[in-house]
Amino acid sequence: MAFNSALYDEIIAAFTVDSEHLHEVAANFRQDMRLGLAGSPDSSLRMLPSYLGLPTGVERGDYLALDFGGTNVRVLLYRLEGNGKYEILSHVAKPLKVDGVYDFIGAEATGDEMFDFIAALVDEAVGGDHATPYLLGHTFSFPSKQTNINDARLIIWTKEFAARGVEGAVVNDLLRAALVRQGLSNVTPNSVINDTVAVLLAAAYINGDTQIGAIYATGHNTCYLEPYTGTARPPMILNMESGGFSKLVPNRFDMALDAASEKKGEQRLEKMVAGRYMGVLFDMALAELLSATGRIYGFTSIDLSRMLEDVSAGAEATATIVETMTGVRLAAEDAVRVRELAHAIVVRSVRLIAATFVGTLWQITGSGEMRPQHIAVDGSVYEKMPLVKETMMRAFSELLGEDAANVDTMLACGGSGLGAALAAAMTECG
């Protein structure tokens, strides 16, 4: 089939972020940070306090970690040995939803049912030990309002979660009650943090020189160590819930995706950059190119990753993927165009995230010199999607010039678990 060239060019342009737009996003993000710090309702960033600074490296002992970041829940028992060293003593992981078997995330489920399931995983992680005292750090990667390190109320479910009786509740109260019902009165949840905060804690414990942590996976979010809190407090990690950043110009596919989502009008940046949505955007654009507007094929970010791995002149692997999903066999020139569409969607995602990182760096640096530092990133898109790191560094160069040499991104695998254990240890010491 032959593509409509004018339509194709318009779609590619809709997913293109030029240098001027890149600078605008970085500047607008930094401005939203400042508005958020001042408590202005005009900010689309939540700037939520974590009540933690960075680890000192002296954290030691055995601590439980609950990593509740999405459909798959993990419970780990860590032995912290100080100076960036640790050991995982046990690890249990199960999904909160298995199609046709059980579903603890849908609107039919209750918070008590969800947390009873999680408490059973904790029991498994401690080997049924109902006597040894354990402190538990809880990584809870949904927007929460905190008044202290252990008192976090879920503001709103994201990632299409809808279990009843959790929004507005203190999540560790729900967890603590479920642990008691499970016979685990010896396990005390003493801290709850966002997964981005956990990533930053873990990376700073191991590497140092790290003040920004991010998730780039199914969802997206960033936190950072705010040096100018505007109060007498020492520097504190702030969870920006940056997936909700809204000072952006969505294209028509972004608007259609939002209109069909469970939380309309929420999570503007996340819906433009996160792994969960890349395939949906590709689906909509490809359907138009195939003269099948509105058709849903079910492409995912994994499919886009496979297309970007296809470096053949005629994009043969891309053509095979498209034929498998749509039943349409593309001519070589059209397969190349489809691969370019996947490339455009991924590159836009990376460039928008890079711009928010630079806005954050500007806030941290203030009027001072940008010193060498890492940005810790956890998540499957960052880890596995081709071209992410190179595209990120090119965007840094566009925005920072020579200062880009002082900044790099690094993979922070497993940070959600280690960060939770560190939070438990830091809260005990604090």
Side-chain angles (χ1 to χ4, degrees):
M1 56 157 280
F3 278 4
N4 179 322
S5 294
L7 177 60
Y8 173 75
D9 291 343
E10 181 260 313
I11 289 173
I12 293 297
F15 285 106
T16 299
V17 177
D18 62 22
S19 190
E20 181 181 359
H21 187 188
L22 195 71
H23 279 82
E24 286 177 1
V25 173
N28 289 341
F29 192 84
R30 202 257 171 118
Q31 176 65 7
D32 249 21
M33 291 177 71
R34 297 178 75 161
L35 289 171
L37 287 170
S40 170
D42 294 329
S43 176
S44 60
L45 298 173
R46 295 187 188 273
M47 308 303 282
L48 303 171
S50 70
Y51 300 94
L52 289 173
L54 296 178
T56 61
V58 301
E59 293 79 11
R60 290 179 174 83
D62 293 353
Y63 297 92
L64 279 164
L66 167 59
D67 178 13
F68 187 174
T71 303
N72 290 303
V73 172
R74 302 186 305 149
V75 180
L76 306 98
L77 180 57
Y78 280 89
R79 176 161 293 163
L80 302 178
E81 298 167 348
N83 299 315
K85 297 177 181 176
Y86 65 92
E87 181 182 355
I88 298 175
L89 302 180
S90 69
H91 177 198
V92 179
K94 287 184 182 175
L96 284 167
K97 177 182 179 180
V98 176
D99 288 336
V101 182
Y102 61 81
D103 180 358
F104 295 114
I105 69 174
E108 297 302 311
T110 67
D112 284 351
E113 291 168 342
M114 173 186 282
F115 281 97
D116 281 342
F117 179 83
I118 292 170
L121 299 186
V122 176
D123 206 354
E124 190 176 342
V126 298
D129 180 355
H130 292 192
T132 305
Y134 290 105
L135 294 177
L136 180 147
H138 182 180
T139 292
F140 186 70
S141 60
F142 300 88
S144 302
K145 181 178 181 180
Q146 286 191 245
T147 55
N148 60 55
I149 186 60
N150 197 37
D151 176 25
R153 290 181 185 272
L154 174 64
I155 297 169
I156 187 172
W157 278 127
T158 56
K159 307 173 193 176
E160 310 300 325
F161 272 60
R164 293 175 286 119
V166 186
E167 289 185 343
V170 177
V171 292
N172 264 4
D173 286 353
L174 296 176
L175 174 61
R176 188 176 293 105
L179 290 168
V180 170
R181 289 194 294 271
Q182 187 71 23
L184 287 167
S185 300
N186 56 314
V187 176
T188 304
N190 76 339
S191 53
V192 59
I193 57 175
N194 184 269
D195 55 350
T196 49
V197 174
V199 166
L200 179 52
L201 291 177
Y205 178 68
I206 295 169
N207 294 288
D209 294 329
T210 309
Q211 294 179 291
I212 298 174
I215 299 291
Y216 191 7
T218 304
H220 171 63
N221 188 20
T222 302
C223 72
Y224 74 109
L225 185 72
E226 170 55 55
Y228 316 109
T229 56
T231 70
R233 293 194 196 111
M236 181 187 292
I237 299 171
L238 298 182
N239 164 26
M240 293 187 280
E241 288 299 327
S242 60
F245 177 60
S246 65
K247 310 298 170 63
L248 297 158
V249 182
N251 63 33
R252 57 190 175 86
F253 301 105
D254 298 316
M255 290 187 282
L257 185 155
D258 180 65
S261 68
E262 189 160 318
K263 302 287 187 181
K264 297 176 182 62
E266 302 278 347
Q267 301 300 103
R268 165 55 57 218
L269 175 64
E270 184 169 73
K271 289 172 180 172
M272 294 172 74
V273 303
R276 178 181 183 89
Y277 304 106
M278 286 182 187
V280 180
L281 293 167
F282 180 86
D283 242 27
M284 291 190 289
L286 182 64
E288 285 197 12
L289 293 170
L290 296 179
S291 301
T293 300
R295 180 81 179 270
I296 298 172
Y297 300 114
F299 285 95
T300 69
S301 61
I302 296 172
D303 296 313
L304 272 61
S305 179
R306 289 167 59 208
M307 291 178 195
L308 297 192
E309 289 169 352
D310 174 14
V311 296
S312 62
E316 289 88 355
T318 298
T320 299
I321 294 166
V322 171
E323 185 174 17
T324 300
M325 299 294 287
T326 69
V328 176
R329 183 66 188 180
L330 299 174
E333 62 179 344
D334 294 333
V336 170
R337 285 171 163 171
V338 169
R339 180 175 62 191
E340 183 57 34
L341 172 62
H343 179 270
I345 289 170
V346 171
V347 167
R348 181 186 74 153
S349 168
V350 178
R351 286 173 68 79
L352 289 176
I353 289 175
T356 69
F357 286 166
V358 169
T360 308
L361 288 166
W362 286 339
Q363 173 63 22
I364 291 171
T365 303
S367 58
E369 182 180 349
M370 191 166 293
R371 61 178 183 77
Q373 58 191 289
H374 310 294
I375 298 173
V377 188
D378 192 9
S380 54
V381 175
Y382 178 79
E383 181 180 5
K384 298 176 181 177
M385 183 70 74
L387 306 177
V388 168
K389 298 173 187 64
E390 307 95 299
T391 303
M392 188 85 66
M393 292 311 297
R394 279 196 294 273
F396 287 165
S397 293
E398 281 182 57
L399 292 167
L400 296 172
E402 292 181 359
D403 280 341
N406 288 328
V407 181
D408 67 5
T409 59
M410 64 180 185
L411 180 63
C413 269
S416 293
L418 177 58
L422 285 163
M426 293 165 67
T427 302
E428 180 184 31
C429 295

